[in-house]
């Protein structure tokens, strides 16, 4: 069973920085593409960004609202993905989930269907 | 990329069927057969219910079914049960390696 555990959330002032971590187990981590999704209180899901596997070039993509401020990295030795968040804004306040897809019958769904999720870590940006 | 549009609420009585819509554009829902649906109970992480418009992940009851027509995808829950009461979110691949989600629909079992 795939397990994802996020950490690093907390209260930060506008303009501040925070680094979230996601530790994974139960999967071949080096093959996995990891996505961050956030959910503001009482709101819907919002795709934040994704990092591909090393063999796929560790390509990163980001949603427009966070591009240039957030950065995703991975450490395959530690089965960990990090989300570095800089220049935080009040609108970044949300529960941040890491999530990943799956492979089935020779095909993989890394970017279009997320079947494993962490419990989330809360980020509050407020003065 | 704009969020997909879902009705804020839906409801049905036990045993009935209810359908939740998810409207996108020709750049996301209409362009790709990569629509997924997620169920979220209060305080819990989302759970994948449908992928590739109409496919079931292992363990998901086939009471849940998905379809798509043009720029609108739909999730139908048949034989409603009390435990189906939850928030439901749709998602669609939107090209350029980006995913978009809907705002969510709160399903109430009357």
């Amino acid at each position: 069973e795939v397990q994802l555990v996020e950490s690093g959330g907390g209260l930060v002032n506008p303009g501040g920085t925070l680094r979230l971590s996601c530790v994974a187990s139960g999967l071949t981590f080096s093959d996995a593409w990891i996505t961050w999704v956030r959910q503001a209180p009482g709101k819907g899901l919002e795709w934040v960004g994704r990092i591909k596997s090393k063999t796929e070039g560790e390509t990163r993509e980001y949603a427009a609202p966070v591009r240039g401020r957030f950065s995703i990295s991975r450490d395959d030795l530690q089965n960990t993905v990090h989300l570095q968040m800089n220049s935080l804004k009040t609108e970044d306040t949300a529960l941040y989930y890491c999530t990943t897809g799956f492979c089935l019958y020779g095909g993989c769904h890394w970017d279009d269907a997320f079947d494993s999720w962490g419990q989330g870590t809360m980020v509050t940006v407020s003065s | 990329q704009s969020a997909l549009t879902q009705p804020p609420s839906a409801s049905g009585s036990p045993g009935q069927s209810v359908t939740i819509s998810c409207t996108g554009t020709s750049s996301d829902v209409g362009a790709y057969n990569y629509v997924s649906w997620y169920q979220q109970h209060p305080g819990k992480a989302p759970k994948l219910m449908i992928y590739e418009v109409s496919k079931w992940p292992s363990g998901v009851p086939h009471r849940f079914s998905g379809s798509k027509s043009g720029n609108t995808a739909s999730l139908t829950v048949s034989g409603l049960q009390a435990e189906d009461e939850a928030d439901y979110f749709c998602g669609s691949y939107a090209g350029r390696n980006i995913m978009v989600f809907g705002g969510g629909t709160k399903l109430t079992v009357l």
Side-chain angles (χ1 to χ4, degrees):
Chain A
E1 179 190 1
V2 176
Q3 283 199 319
L4 302 170
V5 179
E6 304 94 336
S7 62
L11 174 63
V12 61
N13 290 325
T17 65
L18 213 53
R19 188 192 197 208
L20 307 185
S21 299
C22 169
V23 179
S25 60
L27 76 169
T28 304
F29 184 78
S30 58
D31 291 341
W33 301 10
I34 305 295
T35 295
W36 287 92
V37 173
R38 67 184 180 183
Q39 186 172 31
K43 302 297 185 181
L45 303 176
E46 181 182 16
W47 185 90
V48 172
R50 181 266 290 133
I51 185 167
K52 292 185 178 180
S53 63
K54 189 172 184 177
T55 56
E56 298 284 348
E58 291 189 15
T59 305
R60 300 156 177 83
E61 304 289 345
Y62 301 96
V66 308
R67 197 172 296 139
R69 300 187 297 122
F70 289 12
S71 177
I72 303 174
S73 61
R74 65 188 297 152
D75 179 350
D76 287 354
L77 293 179
Q78 300 291 328
N79 282 13
T80 301
V81 168
H82 299 289
L83 177 65
Q84 178 68 41
M85 304 186 294
N86 300 330
S87 303
L88 281 161
K89 305 175 180 180
T90 55
E91 52 263 42
D92 295 320
T93 294
L95 185 63
Y96 283 72
Y97 293 102
C98 66
T99 182
T100 190
F102 59 97
C103 295
L104 198 62
Y105 306 129
C108 293
H109 297 271
W110 294 123
D111 263 347
D112 62 280
F114 307 122
D115 75 334
S116 298
W117 296 71
Q119 83 290 348
T121 186
M122 187 67 201
V123 172
T124 302
V125 184
S126 174
S127 54
Chain B
Q1 205 68 22
S2 300
L4 307 176
T5 300
Q6 298 181 235
S9 63
S11 63
S13 299
Q16 288 186 332
S17 295
V18 64
T19 297
I20 298 170
S21 63
C22 168
T23 301
T25 69
S26 57
S27 297
D28 38 61
V29 174
Y32 305 96
N33 287 324
Y34 289 122
V35 175
S36 51
W37 288 91
Y38 303 84
Q39 176 191 67
Q40 187 180 37
H41 287 109
K44 300 294 186 182
K47 175 186 176 182
L48 179 67
M49 304 300 285
I50 295 286
Y51 70 100
E52 276 190 26
V53 176
S54 60
K55 296 182 179 180
W56 293 280
S58 175
V60 171
H62 290 192
R63 302 187 294 104
F64 294 84
S65 61
S67 63
K68 190 187 87 166
S69 177
N71 296 338
T72 298
S74 298
L75 173 72
T76 297
V77 186
S78 305
L80 269 175
Q81 299 181 3
E83 59 262 35
D84 298 335
E85 185 162 296
D87 293 326
Y88 291 84
F89 298 91
C90 61
S92 175
Y93 182 70
R96 292 180 291 176
N97 300 298
I98 286 176
M99 179 91 165
V100 289
F101 289 102
T105 298
K106 182 177 180 58
L107 174 61
T108 301
V109 180
L110 302 170

